[in-house]
């Protein structure tokens, strides 16, 4: 096996973790370009940002910025290599002539430069997707944001753009899903606040059942507590049947659905439903926003998990990411429906009528109307 060239920073006084395979792929690509600079014409769609190592990025920038030497002259002289080393040294430290020669030695086949570049591009796409997924997860979990939902949805749009870009660069093949297990949903933060808001919604919806019908944007899956989700299902069922809604009818519906276990005290549910505060819309939007943020956070973590598996191909990253983003889009659609202002009802235009026929001009005053007694 060909010995590996030294790492440009291996003289540090601490132990570095073993490099990832892409590090050696970058070495092979740079070695091919240093040995046969004319191979740069075969390397398309890649920039210095695609390299995971700062020294490698500086070398690639220098190679692209300098005119390619004459092949015959390059085989006899190190003049062009010296120019590359000088240009790259202006961007990063630690590069030596021996490192450049080591890159040339570890390159298996310079004619495979385009294949090496494709691998580097694939790993760059993985890193970009991981970073976008992490930003989405972190933003959705940030409780200090003044407008968390719009900010998180903007990060979701940025993540979608990264996925679309990867799909354009890597044509589809077998549309298999990633084999990476999906991480479990994170525990909701501010759980006590979520429970209180759900209880207030159930009470106010029971007191104002007419508001339930237009709240189809809220589903039982948006609730953090399973019992509250079940009671909301009871309320929506009663409202859509146009049945009477009050604490007693909801209690009966809950019993019919098996929500009252043997240890449940019916008076607890009656007390809960008998303390309305505010409006159902207000509490419903709060619950839906929390569900939206939780889904966005989980979406980011799912996609990040895909990128952490090195066996996942670029197109599998696209398929898995789009599947995860579709779940977020479903909640997002309901969120827009809940928060968009209701359009004003437009009055139908009056039917056109024929203009009245013109009467001849009056030459005398009209007769005075007679008032009958």
């Amino acid at each position: 096996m060909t010995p590996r060239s030294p790492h440009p920073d291996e003289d540090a006084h601490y132990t570095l973790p073993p490099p990832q395979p892409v590090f050696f792929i970058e070495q092979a690509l740079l070695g091919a370009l240093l040995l046969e600079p004319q191979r740069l014409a075969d390397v398309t769609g890649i920039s210095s940002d695609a390299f995971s190592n700062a020294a490698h990025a500086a070398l690639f920038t220098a190679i692209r910025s300098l005119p390619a030497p004459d092949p015959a002259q390059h085989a006899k002289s190190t003049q062009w290599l010296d120019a590359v080393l000088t240009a790259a040294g202006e961007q990063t430290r630690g590069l030596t002539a021996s490192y450049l020669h080591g890159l040339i030695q570890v390159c298996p086949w310079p004619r495979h430069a385009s294949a090496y570049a494709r691998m580097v591009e694939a790993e760059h796409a993985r890193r970009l997707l991981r970073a976008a997924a992490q930003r989405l997860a972190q933003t959705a979990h940030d409780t200090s944001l003044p407008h968390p939902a719009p900010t998180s949805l903007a990060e979701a749009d940025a993540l979608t753009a990264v996925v679309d870009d990867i799909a354009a660069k890597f044509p589809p093949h077998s549309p298999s899903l990633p084999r990476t297990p999906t991480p479990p949903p994170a525990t909701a933060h501010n759980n006590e606040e979520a429970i209180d808001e759900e209880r207030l919604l159930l009470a106010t919806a029971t007191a104002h059942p007419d508001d339930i019908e237009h709240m189809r944007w809220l589903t039982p899956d948006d609730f953090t507590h399973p019992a509250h989700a079940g009671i909301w299902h009871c309320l929506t069922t009663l409202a859509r049947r146009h049945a009477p809604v009050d604490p007693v009818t909801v209690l009966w519906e809950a019993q019919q659905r098996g929500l009252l276990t043997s240890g449940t005290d019916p008076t607890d549910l009656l007390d809960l439903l008998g303390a309305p505060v505010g409006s159902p819309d207000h509490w419903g939007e709060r619950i839906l926003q929390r569900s939206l943020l939780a889904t966005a956070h989980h979406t980011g973590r799912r996609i990040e998990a895909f990128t952490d598996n090195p066996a996942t191909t670029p197109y599998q990253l696209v398929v898995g990411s789009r599947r995860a983003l579709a779940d977020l889009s479903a909640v997002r659609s309901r969120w827009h429906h809940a928060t968009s202002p209701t359009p004003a009802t437009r009055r139908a235009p009056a039917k056109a009528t024929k203009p009245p026929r013109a009467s001849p001009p009056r030459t005398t005053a009209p007769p005075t109307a007679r008032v009958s007694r």
Side-chain angles (χ1 to χ4, degrees):
M1 182 176 179
T2 304
R4 178 182 67 85
S5 63
H7 191 285
D9 295 327
E10 69 178 2
D11 58 345
H13 297 289
Y14 54 86
T15 303
L16 293 173
Q20 298 296 316
V22 69
F23 177 83
F24 303 103
I25 297 169
E26 293 174 2
Q27 285 188 326
L29 172 60
L30 294 172
L33 299 178
L34 291 171
L35 182 61
E36 299 181 6
Q38 67 274 15
R39 298 287 180 185
L40 184 62
D42 302 331
V43 177
T44 59
I46 186 175
S47 65
S48 58
D49 294 338
F51 290 83
S52 63
N53 181 279
H56 292 174
L59 282 172
F60 185 75
T61 300
I63 292 171
R64 279 203 314 183
S65 63
L66 295 173
D70 177 73
Q73 184 67 26
H74 182 59
K76 302 176 183 178
S77 172
T78 62
Q79 182 179 359
W80 186 78
L81 292 178
D82 295 339
V84 169
L85 180 60
T86 300
E90 295 175 354
Q91 302 180 51
T92 187
R93 63 179 183 83
L95 286 172
T96 61
S98 62
Y99 185 71
L100 269 64
H101 289 287
L103 293 176
I104 295 174
Q105 293 175 359
V106 299
C107 176
W109 295 102
R111 65 174 178 265
H112 294 167
S114 61
Y116 302 150
R118 191 67 167 164
M119 299 173 192
V120 172
E121 187 179 17
E123 284 303 305
H124 181 226
R126 184 189 304 275
R127 292 195 301 273
L128 289 177
L129 185 61
R130 179 187 297 117
Q134 289 174 341
R135 287 195 299 271
L136 173 60
Q138 292 167 1
T139 302
H141 207 62
D142 188 352
T143 58
S144 65
L145 295 175
H147 305 289
T151 308
S152 297
L153 292 178
E155 291 295 346
D157 290 338
L159 175 57
T160 301
V162 174
V163 174
D164 292 342
D165 186 60
I166 296 174
K169 291 180 178 179
F170 295 89
H173 48 84
S174 176
S176 59
L177 288 170
R179 296 179 292 272
T180 307
T182 300
T187 303
H189 52 268
N190 295 331
N191 193 53
E192 292 184 2
E193 182 180 359
I195 294 298
D196 289 341
E197 290 175 354
E198 291 174 4
R199 292 168 64 92
L200 289 170
L201 168 67
L202 298 177
T204 54
T206 302
H208 306 281
D210 292 341
D211 294 343
I212 299 175
E213 184 64 21
H214 73 267
M215 294 178 62
R216 293 178 179 267
W217 38 262
L218 189 67
T219 70
D221 291 336
D222 296 322
F223 289 75
T224 60
H225 197 292
H228 296 168
I231 299 302
W232 178 249
H233 194 189
C234 293
L235 281 165
T236 56
T237 300
L238 290 172
R240 289 165 191 170
R241 288 203 309 247
H242 301 288
V245 177
D246 61 39
V248 173
T249 61
V250 175
L251 176 67
W252 177 255
E253 185 71 19
Q255 176 177 294
Q256 298 301 299
R257 293 182 175 274
L259 301 179
L260 303 181
T261 61
S262 57
T264 302
D265 187 349
T267 58
D268 293 338
L269 179 56
L270 293 174
D271 292 342
L272 183 156
L273 299 178
V277 176
S279 68
D281 281 340
H282 171 75
W283 302 118
E285 289 182 14
R286 296 277 299 177
I287 293 168
L288 183 56
Q289 175 176 280
R290 182 174 284 104
S291 176
L292 174 70
L293 297 176
T295 305
H297 180 262
H298 187 55
T299 298
R301 293 181 63 243
R302 284 176 63 185
I303 297 176
E304 183 182 357
F306 297 153
T307 64
D308 289 339
N309 185 353
T312 307
T313 66
Y315 193 65
Q316 283 180 320
L317 291 176
V318 171
V319 174
S321 298
R322 285 179 170 170
R323 178 73 62 87
L325 287 166
D327 295 340
L328 176 58
S329 295
V331 185
R332 179 181 193 164
S333 178
R334 294 190 286 112
W335 168 255
H336 283 315
H337 183 70
T339 57
S340 298
T342 304
T345 304
R346 300 181 61 182
R347 297 181 59 184
K351 294 183 179 181
T353 58
K354 293 182 178 181
R357 296 178 61 183
S359 57
R362 294 182 181 272
T363 57
T364 58
T368 303
R370 180 178 297 178
V371 179
S372 59
R373 295 184 178 181

